[in-house]
Amino acid sequence: MSKAYDKLQKCLKQIKEKTDFVPEIAIVLGSGLGSFAEKIDVKAIIPYSEIEGFPVSTAPGHAGRFIFGNLAGKRVVAMQGRVHYYEGYDTREVVLPIRLMRLMGASTLILTNAAGGISEKSYPGCFMLITDHICLAPSPLIGENLSEIGTRFPSMDNIYDRDLRKIVKNAASEIPLFEGVYIQTTGPQYETPAEIQMYKAFGAGAVGMSTAVEAIAAVHCGFKVIGISCISNMACGLSDTPPSEEEVLEIANKSGTLFSKLLISVITSI
Ligand code: HPA
């Protein structure tokens, strides 16, 4: 057994000691989606800090927790808070929670984030359904393969599942949503205007600092993945004001209600 798989099993054991809840759908809640958790009929809450070996956010007040419960007739586990590569964690550590939720039993994963808009279709407060990604961070699959959960050379042809994308589009009939490619930078600095022009030429519709490495690990371990970005700002150089954390959080929080509505509608339809 690889060391990483052993660590996963140890984390899983600690969770099973606290709850026997078996989720079908896993959700990673990005910035602004805090209120979504209120919609869950909660069965158990486990703070990440109570799981030995679990990567805990270095940002004060952002430690995070798993919320287990029922929503729209489905058994869900939601991650309130995630860790990022820019915090100093290796991408292999960043994706531990994703693998853990798969081992808990979930088979569909909904990844959400706040992102900077690059596409001409984007504006702050709208949403992007991720069709594909470009990952500029190191692969979370580097190193010994966890053969217990996935293959050495997984295909990335259908990362953001085509059938699930159709479901999201139907569920979003009254919500401003466009489709596009997500590009993940390492962060933590925002991009330069020149980098944004390059990413635009690459075909990216939105830029962020999470999600792609999580999606890679998710596909590797057999999840079907949905990715949705909340466009919190225009990417650097595409509006009069450069991106700032304040703007990202303000718009992401303002969009939280609509984002929650979209997610509930998606979960209902899955
Ligand atoms: N760039 C990178 N990450 C982000 C942005 C951005 O403009 N907005 C929200 N997350």
Side-chain angles (χ1 to χ4, degrees), residues 114-116 190-191 207-209 232-233 235 243 248:
Y190 289 114
E191 304 69 37
V207 57
M209 305 175 193
S232 54
N233 57 286
V248 168

Side-chain angles (χ1 to χ4, degrees), residues 72-101:
K74 307 279 180 357
R75 283 175 280 113
V76 305
V77 55
M79 281 182 69
Q80 232 179 3
R82 54 151 69 95
V83 295
H84 302 83
Y85 180 56
Y86 63 71
E87 292 179 69
Y89 287 103
D90 200 287
T91 55
R92 288 176 282 204
E93 295 172 85
V94 167
V95 302
L96 179 140
I98 303 293
R99 292 171 161 162
L100 197 52
M101 293 192 289

Side-chain angles (χ1 to χ4, degrees), residues 17-52:
E17 279 161 12
K18 294 177 199 290
T19 180
D20 58 3
F21 191 88
V22 177
E24 307 160 72
I25 300 175
I27 311 156
V28 181
L29 300 174
S31 304
L33 269 176
S35 63
F36 173 80
E38 289 160 21
K39 314 282 180 204
I40 303 173
D41 171 18
V42 178
K43 299 294 176 200
I45 292 182
I46 305 180
Y48 303 152
S49 58
E50 288 183 10
I51 310 166
E52 202 193 314

Side-chain angles (χ1 to χ4, degrees), residues 1-236:
M1 198 191 293
S2 71
K3 244 171 126 181
Y5 188 67
D6 187 44
K7 187 171 180 182
L8 271 172
Q9 286 298 339
K10 282 191 179 133
C11 289
L12 184 65
K13 187 164 169 270
Q14 294 173 68
I15 286 170
K16 287 202 166 153
E17 279 161 12
K18 294 177 199 290
T19 180
D20 58 3
F21 191 88
V22 177
E24 307 160 72
I25 300 175
I27 311 156
V28 181
L29 300 174
S31 304
L33 269 176
S35 63
F36 173 80
E38 289 160 21
K39 314 282 180 204
I40 303 173
D41 171 18
V42 178
K43 299 294 176 200
I45 292 182
I46 305 180
Y48 303 152
S49 58
E50 288 183 10
I51 310 166
E52 202 193 314
F54 197 93
V56 176
S57 174
T58 53
H62 288 83
R65 55 194 192 160
F66 281 121
I67 299 174
F68 299 86
N70 298 319
L71 183 75
K74 307 279 180 357
R75 283 175 280 113
V76 305
V77 55
M79 281 182 69
Q80 232 179 3
R82 54 151 69 95
V83 295
H84 302 83
Y85 180 56
Y86 63 71
E87 292 179 69
Y89 287 103
D90 200 287
T91 55
R92 288 176 282 204
E93 295 172 85
V94 167
V95 302
L96 179 140
I98 303 293
R99 292 171 161 162
L100 197 52
M101 293 192 289
R102 178 82 181 110
L103 293 179
M104 285 176 202
S107 54
T108 301
L109 173 68
I110 306 177
L111 295 171
T112 69
N113 59 49
I118 298 178
S119 162
E120 269 142 32
K121 294 180 196 147
S122 66
Y123 56 89
C126 77
F127 299 91
M128 185 178 88
L129 174 60
I130 305 178
T131 54
D132 201 348
H133 75 217
I134 298 169
C135 186
L136 300 180
S139 169
L141 308 182
I142 289 172
E144 188 181 351
N145 183 45
L146 275 73
S147 53
E148 298 87 350
I149 61 170
T151 171
R152 172 77 290 189
F153 300 108
S155 165
M156 293 289 135
D157 173 56
N158 187 29
I159 311 188
Y160 303 93
D161 187 81
R162 289 185 189 94
D163 296 332
L164 290 176
R165 265 155 43 203
K166 281 186 203 145
I167 291 178
V168 177
K169 278 200 278 182
N170 288 333
S173 56
E174 284 161 34
I175 289 172
L177 179 92
F178 68 98
E179 291 178 276
V181 173
Y182 176 90
I183 188 160
Q184 176 177 354
T185 66
T186 65
Q189 76 283 2
Y190 289 114
E191 304 69 37
T192 64
E195 284 166 343
I196 292 302
Q197 288 309 313
M198 178 172 74
Y199 301 159
K200 191 170 184 182
F202 282 176
V207 57
M209 305 175 193
S210 58
T211 304
V213 293
E214 296 166 346
I216 291 168
V219 167
H220 174 250
C221 66
F223 263 123
K224 288 201 168 186
V225 180
I226 293 173
I228 307 173
S229 296
C230 168
I231 303 300
S232 54
N233 57 286
M234 289 312 290
C236 191

